[in-house]
Structures are given as structure tokens and as C-alpha cells.
Amino acid sequence: MSGKKKPSSNRSKGQPPKRRQRSQPAQGTNDSADYDSKDLSPATVTLILCVVLAIGGGVIWYTLSADRDPIQPLPELAQNSDGEKDKKAQKGATPTPPPAVKDKKLWTTEEDQQARWNEIDDATADGWDTEVISDRVMAQWVKLKKLLASDQPIDAEALQPLASPDVIVHSVLPANPSTVFENSQLQVQRLPDNVADAPANQPLGTGLDSLADSLNTLITPYIDRTNLRLKWKVFRVNPGEKTVTTQQTLEIFGETTEGFREENATWLCEWTVEKKPHLKSVRLVDYESVDAKDQLLFADCTESLFGDADSFQNQLLRGFNYWLERRQTHGAFFLMANNGVAVGDVNGDGLEDVYFCQESELPNLLFLQNPDGTLRDVSAESGVDWLQNSSTALIVDLNNDGHQDLAVGVTGTVVIAAGDGSGKFEIREILDAKDEAWSLAAADYDRDGLLDLHVGSYTPTGIDSVAANVVLTMSDFADGGINTLFHNESSGDEFAFRDVTQEAGMDVNNQRKTYSAGWEDIDNDGDLDLYVANDFGWNCFFRNDQTEDGETTFVDIASQAGGLDDSFGMSVNFGDYDRDGWMDLYISNMYSYAGNRITFQDQFKADSADSVRQRFQRFARGNTLLRNTGVVENETVGPIVQFEDRSVEAAVNMGRWAWSSCFLDINNDGWEDLYVNNGYITASDSGDL
């Protein structure tokens, strides 16, 4: 049934319902005695309206003043003497209902929010015992960190709360590390193969004294313990009947007598199964150390460059939370300040200048470089201090007049501003990018001498939030913004761009929430191809096919080339890292410790196909290095390049929550190195993956 009322049978088809006639009172009768035919007096109508308004106002007041959140505030969970949450709920147990809230209010306190998070984050209530184990092991590592950061050597007594009396110590450091690189600035050492493959029945020592000696050896080279950076992170948990094994990374950075050292190791540990697990064995399975002799390679010179510039001190240094609390609109903030930077010489003095995109209501900033390397703010006089939300920018010469122009992604458009060579700009063209412009990539793809523009879009125009839903199946993700390819047809002082997205074949696989894209001649045929990094959905690799008459068509061959890289694509950059003459790709994704723990558990998506589980495991693996092995013949799409995934073998997958990266030869030895930009929101309680 549709739920609609059946029409009256006496109503003629197509005729409006007849108006009900009000019966007339008989002569000489009292109107008040006839209820059905009574007319309401003005006073009565006024009284009824007042009552209705009062009731309606009360409902509105109650709706606005009451706390409608279904998750009620909870009291703080009890803490034990070591600061660990006392999680009493066991697997299968019914959670204790939250107490009634007597004082409902619109805004909750910080304590309320923390209590709610404690309830949500209670792994025991969800049956994830492995996450409980991880939390308990991490609590023990925190205690050990305090011991290592102190000025006193560690003794056996201090380790009694952390390790079993018969703990087996295979190794925490390689006894004879192999030097794999060394010059006047750096020395890189790694774990010899014979140590990684040592049999488990050949420990280096047993007991708390042996463990104390190994830990003291680990920490001895560091001379400044107060500024020592030291962290363990558990990424794999394998429970057993009587013990549990964990794998965790160890990161150490600090000053030594000879300079600075960074150590990255992976330990395989066995623990007792109890609320405060005790370490039963530890073995080193991976290791790398980097010693910077005398001084660090890089020094933070940001403040010395910007100095006392008001826009630097009072705008750029304020940070996300400061502006979030002060702005009227928050649409541009939903992915935490996705605003780009462009570098180029805008005034022709041979020095690189820098342009900062900003959120809406904050002016974009242009800083010119002075001869001494400092920067000065010329945003207002340059004419590019726009207040609209800007996500990406390029400083390029778009009309071949010898002056750098400015292209800026502003909401659903691309603003083209012509540069006059002195650092001043004039808006000359605004391109309709269909959807929110998140990335810009310029290249002369058809070799006509003019730079064309590819616009990557993440969301459709007008969308001010992003659903953080992971792709759950093998199906494609196709509800993002539409990417656009603009062909540059500028002439002289006139700027002109034409949308050729469909004409050039780039309307295929074109709504996958694109973060960035990059141009490169990947197949060595003399024209530029395009690789597109998508946050949700497969990445795209558009091969540039040019005919003899100069026409250009792009074909997405990512699948046939082995370049799909199904993960959360943030950026892509190119470099011939193995110097074989073929350009390789490095794609920034996200590495998740929690994802590595959870997706390898038997209970994770137990009813799903292995392919689905493996896809989730791939999501958590991190960044991708695709080695270009050259061109092979393909029956379907012709000669194409082939990529092989070398991420894990090259040890470049763990880039943490990576946003972008860059191939560059840092130490001038002729080999491409990798710099990875990563991070997310820093807070007292991260609470994320």
C-alpha cells in the first residue's frame, strides 16, 4: 500500500472537492447551544492563538536548550596507580548504561567529551582483545621510556615491573652493524643479514641484568637525555594461550658526542598475558641508524626569513585552532587547512619568491625575497591578497611574455593573474573548473609552446564536508569532483583557455576525489603523460597519444601498467631513483599503526573475501614506490610502460600520514633521495589511527 488515503467515491474525477457548507442556526435559537454551527468570537480566536504560540514556543525552547546527543556524558573512568584506564568490561559483557543527566545543556565540558571518548575507545566492550593488549604493552613502553630518559643507568630492580625475571634478550642493537653509506657528513648503518636470521635458541643473555645491560648500551651514546626523542609504536599483535607477541617500531633521535643520531628499529617481543604484561623476550628484526657528523643537514630558518612581518606573526603562526574559533565560515576547514604554496621569481631579480594560499576570510600572501635571503610582505601592493578560499597555486609564464603569471585555485574556479615582471599582478581570466579546485599541474602536453593546466577536484562545488568512509568493496569510488583539462590558447596579452577534458579523453575515471596530479614523460616517447593521485578510488595514469596531425588523446592505462595503487593517494612525484633511464613514481598515502594491527586479525572482516581483507591491509601499508621497468607490448592498448611495486623492499612505505613528497639529491652524490612531508593534528589526546 502506498499509504495515501483513498479518494472519496462521490467526488467527480477531475473536480475539486466541494466546499462544506456551514449550517445556519434556526431563528430564535441560541447560537451557543449549537456546537457544530457555532461561530468563534474574536476573543476566543485570540485566546486559542495565544495558547498555540505558547505551546509552539515552549517546544522550540526545549529543542534548542536540551542536549539531543544520544551519547550521554559519562563520569571519568577510574584510573589505577599507573595511570591506566580500569576497563572492567569483558568481551561479551553488557556495558553499564550511562547515568542520567540531570542538568541538560547545549555545550558539554571538556571532561564530558573525554568521558565520552573513553567509552567509545573501550576496546574491551567491542571484543577487540588485541587492542587491549596493545594499550597495555604501550603503557609498559611509556614507563621504560621514562627510565631511558633519566640520567641514571638502568638496573635490574627498575625493570622488575616491566619484565619477567627470566626474560630472554636476543638483541636490541646489532653487535656489528653494516655501514651501507658514508661520507663527510653522514654515516648510515643497518642490520646485517646474519643477525636478522639468527636462530631463536641463541639468546645473547637471560635475566633482568642482561636486559638492563642491553638497554644501557642502547642509550649510552646520547649525551642530552632531557631532549631525547624516543617512541615505541605497536603495529602487530599475535595473541597466544599463555603469551602474546608484538611487533613495534622504536624511534630515537638525539645528540651524541660526535653529532646527532637517528635510530629506527623493529623489535619482536613476547609478553605475559596479564593486565600489566611483563616482557619475556625481545629480539631485533630490523634496524637502521643515521649519524650526522658535527651538525644536522638542515636548520629551521623560518623565523629568520620572515622576521617581524605582521602577516607572519599574526596570521601564519596562529595555527588551525586559532582561526577555527574566529572565522564565520568553516567550509574550507573540513580537511584541516588544505592550502598550497607556490614558489617562483615574480619580479625578475633571480631570487625565488613565495606565495601562500589561505582559507576564506584570510588574505593570500606574497613574500618577495631580499638579496640577504629574508622575505618581505608585498601582498597588498601586488594585488593578490584575495580573501576567497584558495587551495592551490602556480607561478608560471602562461602567455610567453617572459613574466611569471599566477594561477590560483579559488573554490570552483581558477583565477589567472598576469604578472608585469615587477611583482604586481592583474586578474585577466577566471576559468570555470566545474568543481572545487584542489590541485593545479601545468605542462605543454600538445607541444605547441604554451603551458596547459590540469585542475584536480576533490569535492563537487558547494560541498562543505567530506564523509570519511573507506571504500568497503572492490567497486570504484566515483562521486568526487570533476577534474578539468584546460588547453592554453593565449596570444600576446590575451589569456584564453578552453576546456578540452572530454575532447582529450580525460573524462574517463574522473570523479575519484583527486588530491594532486603530475606531468612526466613516463614512457620516453617525447610527450608528457599524467598521473593522478586519488584519495578514494584507484589512481589514474593517462598516457599521452599524439597523432601525426597534432591531435592529442589520453588513455587511462593504470590497470594494464600496474600503476593503480589502490590506497589513499595524496600526491605523486617522479624521479629516476635507480638511474636506468626510466622515470619512477613515488605516491604519498597513509601509514596506520592501528590499521596494521587490526586488519591482520582473524576477526577482522571474517566473512569477507581475502581480496577485501588484503585491500584494507594495503590501505594501512603506507606510501608506494613504483619502479618503471620500461615499455612492453599490450594487445589492448598498445605499447605501455610496466611498473613494479618496490615500496617494502626499498623501505620507503612507512612515511606516516604522508601528504606530499619530493625526489631530490640532498647530499649531491648523484642519487635521488626522498623527502616526505607528513603529519596531522597535534593534540593532547590524538585518539586517531
Side-chain angles (χ1 to χ4, degrees), residues 530-552:
L530 184 74
Y531 191 90
V532 182
N534 299 311
D535 193 14
F536 291 90
W538 311 101
N539 290 346
C540 302
F541 171 33
F542 290 100
R543 184 185 64 191
N544 187 337
D545 293 338
Q546 292 200 15
T547 62
E548 293 182 357
D549 58 1
E551 296 297 323
T552 300

Side-chain angles (χ1 to χ4, degrees), residues 465-481:
S465 64
V466 174
N469 295 324
V470 178
V471 182
L472 300 178
T473 67
M474 297 300 289
S475 61
D476 191 20
F477 195 94
D479 68 347

Side-chain angles (χ1 to χ4, degrees), residues 42 114 170 230 235 244 279 296 301 338 383 387 404 481 515 532 550 581:
Q114 181 61 47
H170 296 275
L230 190 150
F235 67 89
V244 59
L279 185 65
L296 297 174
C301 59
N338 58 307
L387 294 174
Q404 298 285 61
Y515 250 123
V532 182

Side-chain angles (χ1 to χ4, degrees), residues 68-313:
R68 295 300 178 196
D69 194 334
I71 303 176
Q72 299 297 337
L74 296 175
E76 289 288 348
L77 296 180
Q79 306 280 328
N80 60 29
S81 59
D82 296 315
E84 183 183 3
K85 296 174 185 176
D86 185 15
K87 300 176 179 179
K88 296 182 179 180
Q90 300 298 323
K91 182 178 179 181
T94 302
T96 303
V101 180
K102 297 180 180 179
D103 183 19
K104 288 182 175 292
K105 50 188 177 297
L106 183 61
W107 302 108
T108 60
T109 65
E110 184 176 350
E111 289 75 14
D112 291 335
Q113 296 292 345
Q114 181 61 47
R116 294 184 186 188
W117 174 250
N118 289 342
E119 182 190 27
I120 296 172
D121 197 35
D122 186 357
T124 58
D126 298 330
W128 282 94
D129 295 337
T130 54
E131 288 301 285
V132 178
I133 293 171
S134 174
D135 289 343
R136 292 174 177 176
V137 167
M138 282 302 302
Q140 295 294 72
W141 286 134
V142 170
K143 297 173 189 176
L144 181 57
K145 175 183 176 180
K146 294 178 180 179
L147 294 177
L148 292 173
S150 68
D151 295 332
Q152 301 299 319
I154 298 175
D155 56 24
E157 182 179 357
L159 295 174
Q160 287 180 359
L162 306 175
S164 298
D166 57 350
V167 58
I168 301 173
V169 183
H170 296 275
S171 56
V172 297
L173 282 174
N176 298 296
S178 298
T179 300
V180 297
F181 177 84
E182 186 170 16
N183 63 10
S184 59
Q185 294 177 308
L186 295 174
Q187 182 186 47
V188 180
Q189 295 183 309
R190 290 178 182 158
L191 184 71
D193 293 337
N194 62 335
V195 174
D197 300 333
N201 60 357
Q202 295 182 3
L204 300 178
T206 303
L208 296 177
D209 286 325
S210 179
L211 179 60
D213 291 342
S214 297
L215 294 174
N216 285 323
T217 302
L218 172 71
I219 210 70
T220 295
Y222 297 97
I223 58 177
D224 184 5
R225 305 287 180 82
T226 57
N227 293 316
L228 185 67
R229 302 179 189 175
L230 190 150
K231 179 184 290 187
W232 282 273
K233 291 281 285 188
V234 176
F235 67 89
R236 201 64 52 81
V237 177
N238 296 303
E241 293 183 3
K242 297 183 179 180
T243 61
V244 59
T245 58
T246 62
Q247 294 185 56
Q248 46 271 301
T249 58
L250 168 62
E251 304 166 4
I252 310 177
F253 175 80
E255 186 176 1
T256 66
T257 56
E258 298 180 355
F260 294 88
R261 173 176 293 181
E262 178 179 348
E263 295 180 273
N264 293 280
T266 301
W267 287 3
L268 177 65
C269 298
E270 184 181 16
W271 304 83
T272 61
V273 181
E274 51 188 328
K275 189 170 184 179
K276 295 182 181 179
H278 284 64
L279 185 65
K280 289 187 65 66
S281 71
V282 56
R283 186 209 290 187
L284 185 69
V285 296
D286 197 10
Y287 177 84
E288 181 181 80
S289 68
V290 180
D291 283 288
K293 304 174 183 179
D294 297 329
Q295 60 183 2
L296 297 174
L297 290 180
F298 296 94
D300 185 352
C301 59
T302 309
E303 193 164 357
S304 63
L305 292 180
F306 290 93
D308 297 328
D310 181 73
S311 55
F312 174 70
Q313 297 291 336

